[in-house]
Amino acid sequence: EIELNRYKDRIFSKSFQPFDPGLGRWSQALSAYKNLSLLGQPLDSFADESMYGEDLAKLVARIYKLEEDMTFMNKPIPEGWIRIVDKIETPNYVDAYMFAVPPILDNKIEDLFKDVGGRLVGVSATIHKDKTSVKTLMGFPAEKGTQIASVFDEANQMRVYAPKDTGSGATADDLIRVVKTLDKATTGGMLVLCTSWTMVRELEAKWPENITVRFQESGRAAAAAQSLREKTVKCVVATKSLWTGIDLPGDLLTVVIIDKLPFETPTDPVMSFLNDYVEKKYKNGWNRTYLADMIMSLKQGVGRLIRRETDRGVVAILDGRVKNSRYSGAIMDALKPARITTDLNELVEFLKKS
């Protein structure tokens, strides 16, 4: 089955490849379906759910939507868009998802400002300071923005551990060593955020028996988070779907561990297209796309920890590039005003005093 979507602002899959669809014959076949008659009646007459039931009505609506989207996808796409396809394989089926995507968001939200007479407010706790990045990644007119200080006292509420010796990301053994150390220092919940399913599975194979854990399953992010909320486990190991959207205040979450910096894959066509565009129009493309996108994702992951003014906890980012890379300054600046240390024992003492 082929699912077609006419518009998606942002796509997070890692396996996209550029493609030329050549969907002419598909469009023609679907157009032919519209001309079919069933029991002597035209197809669209069966779209009446009250007369023919929900299943048949949905099938008819689906045929019309597929034909519409096939037609759109087969036309020359607008300037600034790209066409991509994602192949998803499971033991039981293979799905191909095709998208036409406008990676460039310049002026998109600025147009909304005009439509509503300027009365539009966008709020973000993880927004990047570079105005060009904000404009190209989010379509937001950053020159209209104002930075407001956080209500949290992050310098006193949290500590960040960033070792120098983990290269470009931790191994499963590195992660488990840190988990074991911090587990002894806190009675609160712990969240291990991984950038790949491979790491989740490696941790599952090596996990210590004395620490209760739930490993996120595909499509079950909410259920994994609920395990921490109900305190049925001490730790949850998850992928990027839990880097955002969960609120676990107090002792529900006192430790967040991140396996590596969440850079988008270099082969992702959306980011690659955006990088080339920014480099050509604004210069410094990599910093304003890949790096800016990573920093926003990192801040979202770190932001799972401090949810209330009374929360206290620690974050461990097990990627040596936080301290040893040409862009360390940008990362360190994004984590301010939290204290950053290379001494894991400092996190242990901080947790014990909390």
Side-chain angles (χ1 to χ4, degrees), residues 180-187 347-349 351-353:
K180 286 180 176 180
T181 301
L182 298 180
D183 171 64
K184 296 174 183 177
T186 182
T187 58
L347 267 64
V348 172
E349 293 303 314
L351 285 171
K352 287 180 177 178
K353 292 177 181 179

Side-chain angles (χ1 to χ4, degrees), residues 35 57 106 162 231 259 265 306 309 311:
N35 296 322
D106 277 7
K231 298 187 177 182
D259 72 332
T265 175
I306 303 300
E309 293 178 51
D311 288 355

Side-chain angles (χ1 to χ4, degrees), residues 22-155:
L23 298 175
R25 65 184 183 85
W26 289 83
S27 298
Q28 292 171 10
L30 284 162
S31 296
Y33 268 111
K34 290 172 62 177
N35 296 322
L36 289 178
S37 62
L38 190 62
L39 301 178
Q41 300 183 59
L43 189 64
D44 59 3
S45 66
F46 293 92
D48 188 341
E49 184 176 324
S50 62
M51 290 183 63
Y52 298 104
E54 180 181 5
D55 289 343
L56 187 55
K58 284 185 175 180
L59 177 60
V60 172
R62 184 166 182 75
I63 289 173
Y64 275 83
K65 184 66 170 69
L66 281 171
E67 191 272 340
E68 178 186 349
D69 289 344
M70 284 282 191
T71 300
F72 175 85
M73 291 289 284
N74 202 48
K75 291 179 179 178
I77 56 175
E79 183 179 359
W81 288 48
I82 59 173
R83 255 192 293 253
I84 49 184
V85 64
D86 189 21
K87 181 180 178 183
I88 299 177
E89 296 186 58
T90 75
N92 300 317
Y93 62 87
V94 177
D95 273 357
Y97 293 84
M98 287 181 274
F99 304 91
V101 186
I104 309 306
L105 297 180
D106 277 7
N107 304 319
K108 292 290 189 298
I109 297 181
E110 192 165 12
D111 291 341
L112 292 178
F113 265 87
K114 298 172 184 176
D115 293 341
V116 298
R119 296 180 297 276
L120 181 67
V121 178
V123 181
S124 172
T126 57
I127 202 165
H128 198 271
K129 291 182 178 180
D130 183 83
K131 292 182 178 181
T132 300
S133 299
V134 173
K135 187 176 179 117
T136 54
L137 290 173
M138 303 174 62
F140 200 87
E143 62 273 9
K144 302 183 188 322
T146 299
Q147 188 168 350
I148 301 172
S150 170
V151 298
F152 301 135
D153 182 11
E154 292 168 336

Side-chain angles (χ1 to χ4, degrees), residues 85-250:
V85 64
D86 189 21
K87 181 180 178 183
I88 299 177
E89 296 186 58
T90 75
N92 300 317
Y93 62 87
V94 177
D95 273 357
Y97 293 84
M98 287 181 274
F99 304 91
V101 186
I104 309 306
L105 297 180
D106 277 7
N107 304 319
K108 292 290 189 298
I109 297 181
E110 192 165 12
D111 291 341
L112 292 178
F113 265 87
K114 298 172 184 176
D115 293 341
V116 298
R119 296 180 297 276
L120 181 67
V121 178
V123 181
S124 172
T126 57
I127 202 165
H128 198 271
K129 291 182 178 180
D130 183 83
K131 292 182 178 181
T132 300
S133 299
V134 173
K135 187 176 179 117
T136 54
L137 290 173
M138 303 174 62
F140 200 87
E143 62 273 9
K144 302 183 188 322
T146 299
Q147 188 168 350
I148 301 172
S150 170
V151 298
F152 301 135
D153 182 11
E154 292 168 336
N156 292 309
Q157 286 183 257
M158 65 185 291
R159 292 289 184 271
V160 177
Y161 171 60
K164 296 180 179 180
D165 58 355
T166 51
S168 57
T171 65
D173 290 334
D174 293 330
L175 282 162
I176 289 175
R177 176 180 59 83
V178 173
V179 167
K180 286 180 176 180
T181 301
L182 298 180
D183 171 64
K184 296 174 183 177
T186 182
T187 58
M190 300 192 296
L191 177 64
V192 179
L193 293 174
C194 302
T195 53
S196 71
W197 282 106
T198 299
M199 180 58 75
V200 173
R201 300 302 166 233
E202 287 183 16
L203 288 173
E204 189 171 8
K206 297 184 175 185
W207 196 260
E209 293 181 359
N210 63 321
I211 302 175
T212 56
V213 64
R214 176 162 184 170
F215 294 93
Q216 181 191 338
E217 303 166 48
S218 180
R220 300 293 303 278
Q226 190 65 20
S227 298
L228 284 177
R229 192 168 288 111
E230 295 174 353
K231 298 187 177 182
T232 56
V233 297
K234 178 73 176 287
C235 184
V236 162
V237 178
T239 58
K240 288 186 76 173
S241 53
L242 283 187
W243 288 60
T244 63
I246 57 170
D247 184 34
L248 298 165

Side-chain angles (χ1 to χ4, degrees), residues 290-304:
Y290 286 101
L291 181 61
D293 180 73
M294 183 280 292
I295 287 176
M296 285 192 284
S297 296
L298 180 65
K299 290 172 71 174
Q300 287 173 334
V302 171
R304 296 313 93 209

